[in-house]
Amino acid sequence: METPKRKQKVNIYSRACRGGVYQMWHLRYNYQGEQFRQSTGIRTLTDKALQTASAIEKQRNNEQLAILEAIRGGKEKDLADAKVLGISPEELRAEKKRAKAKAGDFFPYYDSYTENKTENNTRKQYENTRKYLEDYTNGKAVALNKIDRTFVQGFAQWLCKQQSKQTKKPLSANTRSVALRNLKSVLREAVIQGLITNDPTQGISLPKGKTIRAVLSISEVQALQSLELWADSRYSLVWRAFLFCCNVGLRYSDVSSITFENIQHRKAGANEVYTLTLIQKKGAKPNTIALNAFAVRLLGEIPKSRKERGRKVFPLTSNETSNNHLRAIAQLAGITKHITFHIARHTLASQALGGGATLKTVQTILGHSSIQTTAEYLHNTDAEGRSAVERLNDIYGNND
């Protein structure tokens, strides 16, 4: 008699949400010697909140817990099936969705397509588009081969009539354009895979609106600098990283990953020249950026040993947490704007251009791929690039 195969064990655990009323549930399991964690998207009341919950709230809570158990059981089955087939659970899930798509269901195919999107912002955009499509179809199943030109045109027209659930204002031109673009990308991939014969999206488009970039004024940057949070145990790291971005123009993903290995130092006559060299997240070639005196100061003490130079300059925890701290810092400085790390990039571009830098130089500092120039444009010999970032010392009032 064969020994029955032992099911893979899947554990569930929760993490309390801010405020302590709700908790989000996650799966934790081992597969082929590696541990995995996965969000279930299930949210329930905490034990403390249940004590004062109404009967209806308790009933809904129990329903969510039942769904949670079903998800856990489904994951155990997937793990067992994946082990027999010799593939990963993720590959098995993707294969099941592809099978459903071939059988004619659009939404499983949409999900299998978006699973390949690794960039968080891109994935979130596709998730938002899916919600719009669900509303457009009234939550009904849609056959992939039934999506025609009329469906796509109808979706475009429907988007133009919708309001944001948060602001209660019409969807912005950019939001509408991105949603339609995402649908077109999914359907064009379906054509390539032979799941549908013709591209129903050809010739259908929505105009993209003009984006107004939020920036900080010179006085607002100066107000942040005047906080002097060098020794603040809670906010110093975020404060230094954000002001560094205002002087260098990095994205959060880049500033949170640079190490001291990325910092170069050399003598230029009687002067000390510091530069930062990295391949930015959306770039393909190394980009070298000159650092002004205040940016160098924000780095803190630069280690000399090779081992120490491998550590991160700004070991930030997460984008969300950093932005939360940043908004608290902005309040301390009397800034009422909705502030995020990405505003620093726009601030550098706006203030550097206003200070006399050429558009070409600023685009190179930011590492934009749309410019027709090389990554060597801001090499250590690029006096114009050094001049542009040095001028920020005067613009922000960094000079002592």
Side-chain angles (χ1 to χ4, degrees):
M1 179 183 294
E2 289 185 1
T3 303
K5 287 186 171 58
R6 179 179 174 274
K7 270 191 175 182
Q8 300 286 325
K9 188 175 181 182
V10 177
N11 296 315
I12 55 176
Y13 67 98
S14 65
R15 286 180 176 168
C17 301
R18 186 181 301 171
V21 177
Y22 294 100
Q23 55 191 343
M24 294 297 298
W25 288 91
H26 305 263
L27 303 180
R28 179 171 54 220
Y29 56 90
N30 288 297
Y31 183 76
Q32 295 181 343
E34 188 175 354
Q35 190 175 89
F36 294 87
R37 298 173 190 269
Q38 178 184 334
S39 173
T40 65
I42 298 295
R43 186 181 76 166
T44 64
L45 293 169
T46 61
D47 291 343
K48 185 176 180 180
L50 272 174
Q51 295 175 4
T52 56
S54 66
I56 294 177
E57 288 173 329
K58 290 179 180 179
Q59 181 182 345
R60 289 175 180 169
N61 205 69
N62 289 335
E63 290 171 353
Q64 289 297 301
L65 289 173
I67 295 173
L68 175 66
E69 179 56 32
I71 291 173
R72 191 194 66 79
K75 174 58 69 174
E76 281 199 340
K77 185 178 185 306
D78 282 350
L79 288 173
D81 292 344
K83 188 173 183 180
V84 171
L85 295 173
I87 61 176
S88 72
E90 290 72 23
E91 290 173 328
L92 176 65
R93 186 169 68 250
E95 185 58 40
K96 285 183 177 180
K97 288 183 177 179
R98 283 192 290 269
K100 285 185 179 180
K102 290 179 180 178
D105 196 343
F106 167 70
F107 284 110
Y109 177 75
Y110 185 98
D111 293 339
S112 67
Y113 177 86
T114 57
E115 279 184 349
N116 296 323
K117 304 297 179 182
T118 56
E119 179 70 31
N120 287 338
N121 288 340
T122 302
R123 184 187 286 268
K124 189 171 183 178
Q125 286 179 349
Y126 274 92
E127 289 172 354
N128 290 337
T129 299
R130 192 190 199 284
K131 292 175 184 177
Y132 291 138
L133 286 164
E134 287 176 342
D135 290 343
Y136 173 59
T137 59
N138 294 318
K140 296 179 181 177
V142 180
L144 185 58
N145 60 6
K146 295 296 182 183
I147 295 182
D148 54 14
R149 189 173 181 81
T150 301
F151 179 96
V152 179
Q153 285 178 326
F155 180 58
Q157 294 168 359
W158 178 88
L159 286 169
C160 294
K161 299 175 183 178
Q162 300 310 300
Q163 291 184 335
S164 167
K165 293 180 180 179
Q166 283 76 33
T167 65
K168 306 301 180 185
K169 295 180 180 179
L171 295 179
S172 70
N174 279 344
T175 299
R176 300 193 300 261
S177 176
V178 168
L180 181 60
R181 182 192 68 197
N182 290 344
L183 174 61
K184 293 169 76 171
S185 297
V186 173
L187 293 177
R188 285 170 182 168
E189 183 63 23
V191 174
I192 293 172
Q193 294 184 7
L195 299 177
I196 54 178
T197 54
N198 298 311
D199 180 6
T201 71
Q202 288 185 352
I204 302 175
S205 63
L206 285 172
K208 189 174 181 180
K210 184 178 180 180
T211 301
I212 300 175
R213 302 289 187 186
V215 300
L216 295 180
S217 66
I218 295 172
S219 61
E220 287 170 331
V221 175
Q222 291 172 338
L224 286 172
Q225 290 176 175
S226 67
L227 293 175
E228 296 285 347
L229 299 177
W230 300 100
D232 187 283
S233 60
R234 185 175 187 185
Y235 295 135
S236 176
L237 179 61
V238 172
W239 177 76
R240 289 190 299 112
F242 181 76
L243 287 177
F244 186 81
C245 291
C246 286
N247 283 269
V248 179
L250 295 185
R251 300 175 181 86
Y252 173 85
S253 55
D254 292 319
V255 77
S256 62
S257 62
I258 59 172
T259 69
F260 285 101
E261 289 284 0
N262 298 110
I263 309 298
Q264 293 82 40
H265 168 244
R266 66 182 177 87
K267 291 268 189 180
N271 299 321
E272 302 278 342
V273 177
Y274 289 85
T275 54
L276 167 67
T277 300
L278 77 163
I279 298 177
Q280 297 193 34
K281 191 173 181 69
K282 294 187 178 181
K285 296 180 180 180
N287 191 23
T288 299
I289 306 169
L291 302 181
N292 61 37
F294 189 64
V296 174
R297 186 183 174 197
L298 291 165
L299 294 174
E301 185 178 353
I302 300 176
K304 296 181 179 179
S305 72
R306 187 172 182 177
K307 182 178 180 181
E308 283 294 302
R309 286 181 63 80
R311 63 182 172 87
K312 290 184 177 181
V313 178
F314 302 105
L316 300 165
T317 52
S318 71
N319 197 354
E320 182 180 4
T321 300
S322 297
N323 280 331
N324 287 337
H325 285 178
L326 187 56
R327 284 188 275 275
I329 293 169
Q331 288 181 348
L332 292 176
I335 298 173
T336 57
K337 290 178 181 175
H338 180 76
I339 184 172
T340 65
F341 255 84
H342 209 69
I343 283 181
R345 273 175 72 80
H346 306 321
T347 298
L348 174 131
S350 176
Q351 304 304 346
L353 287 169
T358 66
L359 179 62
K360 190 174 184 180
T361 297
V362 173
Q363 286 180 321
T364 306
I365 292 172
L366 296 179
H368 288 161
S369 59
S370 60
I371 59 172
Q372 297 300 315
T373 188
T374 64
E376 290 78 22
Y377 187 80
L378 270 183
H379 273 187
N380 293 341
T381 57
D382 185 355
E384 184 185 4
R386 290 201 302 275
S387 177
V389 293
E390 286 296 341
R391 277 196 293 270
L392 291 175
N393 274 326
D394 301 320
I395 293 170
Y396 295 153
N398 293 330
N399 290 324
D400 294 327

